Every structure is written in structure tokens, then in C-alpha cells.
Amino acid sequence: MDSRIARIRRKLAKVPYAVLRSYSFGEEKHGFRLEPPLPAAKVAEFEADHHIELPDPYRSFLTRLGEGGASPWYGLLPLQSCRLFTMDPRGEPGRPRGFRFAAGPPHRSDLFLHIIEAGCSDLVLLGITGPLAGRVVTGNADGFWGPNVSSAMDFLAWYERWLDHMLAGRDNRSLHLTSPALRAPADRIERQHRHREDLSQH
């Protein structure tokens, strides 16, 4: 078993109680909890249904840690809710490329699996085939921005980086993390607003 699995499990358990950790956008939705792991047979069934092979680190996460829940943005999607996308062809120079649902097999373009709910038409995808297989890619379905390929070499490295940055209280725009130092002014304004509301009710 990949040694990172046990390490990630320990770090994920620490995050909610870390005093000076970063705030992760969307954490209210997933609460740093993962759904139960999937049986290997269920993962194999998904792969057979979609004529794909999931990268080993992501498969290990699904079968050893959990299939949905805690992650950047609004949380990991359950595997059965994940859909395949292809990247739009390269267009005008400098224009970001979007993504579209992949047509059924045989697939004629590199495939990406939508694995995290990011909101609106933003996508967090995992490369399934082609040169970006195994890498996490963020982008926008309509090509409003991106795509951006994470420097992490696989899903477990990307996920653990999120936990490490959060525990260290770091800012990270690409992971939507806000450090305690940047969050403090917003928290202070919110407390003052609540205090004024309390005074007005008395």
C-alpha cells in the first residue's frame, strides 16, 4: 500500500483542530470528512462501464481513504457522479481552452475525469489518458480561464499538498486557501457587524 495513504489520513484528522490553519474555500460543505472507501469491485465496474483505467494513486484514495467529501473547493465527487471531459481544440493564440463532455467510446481525444465540485462552470479534473494522465488540471468549461496543470505529479501528491499548506497556515490561490493573517480582517469586520446587530435588538 502507498505509504502516503496513512500519512494523509493522519493529516486530514488534524486539520479541523489546527489552531493557525488556513481556511479552505467550501470547507463548510464537506467538513473535512470523507465518505467510506469504495470496494475495489465498484471501482473496476466504473472503469469497465467507461472504458477507462483510473490512475493508481486516485484508485488507492478511493479504495483506502474515501470516495467523496473533503478536498479543496466544495469537495470530492462520489465516483458515480464523476463525468469524462475532453479539452477543446487549441484555438486562437493566447485564448484559454475549455472542456466539453466526452462522447462515448471510442474516445478520439485525451480524457479528463471531473473529480471535484468547484462551482459554476469551473472544473477540477484528473487526467486519464494522454500526456497529462494522473495530473490534476483546473479549468473552466467555457474557456473563461486556464487550464492550469498542477506541478504535483499525481493525485495523492496534490491532495497532500493541500493538507500541508492548510496545516502550515499558507495562502494558496490555486487551492483557494486563505491564511489566518489574511482572514483576520474579514473575521473582525464580521464580529463587529454581529455586535452592532445585537445592540440594535436591545
Side-chain angles (χ1 to χ4, degrees), residues 2 4-5 8 57 60-61 154-161:
D2 194 314
R4 293 176 293 177
I5 295 292
I8 286 171
S60 295
F61 188 99
D154 63 34
F155 177 78
L156 289 176
W158 180 84
Y159 192 90
E160 188 170 16
R161 178 185 294 174

Side-chain angles (χ1 to χ4, degrees), residues 6-125:
R7 205 164 61 224
I8 286 171
R9 185 180 287 116
R10 289 193 299 270
K11 290 176 181 180
L12 186 58
K14 285 181 185 177
V15 166
Y17 308 102
V19 178
L20 294 176
R21 70 167 175 87
S22 301
Y23 171 79
S24 180
F25 179 79
E27 67 180 56
E28 295 88 355
K29 183 169 181 182
H30 56 69
F32 299 108
R33 291 183 300 276
L34 288 170
E35 296 300 319
L38 277 177
K42 284 286 184 186
V43 177
E45 182 182 321
F46 179 88
E47 291 176 314
D49 288 346
H50 293 81
H51 303 273
I52 61 170
E53 186 173 328
L54 296 175
D56 285 339
Y58 180 62
R59 186 188 295 108
S60 295
F61 188 99
L62 294 174
T63 58
R64 300 285 183 174
L65 285 168
E67 72 150 339
S71 80
W73 296 280
Y74 294 114
L76 287 161
L77 292 164
L79 185 59
Q80 290 303 321
S81 299
C82 295
R83 300 187 64 180
L84 289 169
F85 281 76
T86 58
M87 192 184 296
D88 291 342
R90 194 177 301 278
E92 301 170 18
R95 183 183 175 121
R97 297 165 73 178
F99 294 85
R100 65 186 65 194
F101 289 125
H107 301 292
R108 292 183 170 80
S109 301
D110 296 337
L111 294 174
F112 299 85
L113 188 67
H114 181 202
I115 59 170
I116 290 175
E117 180 59 54
C120 300
S121 57
D122 292 343
L123 299 168
V124 182
L125 307 130

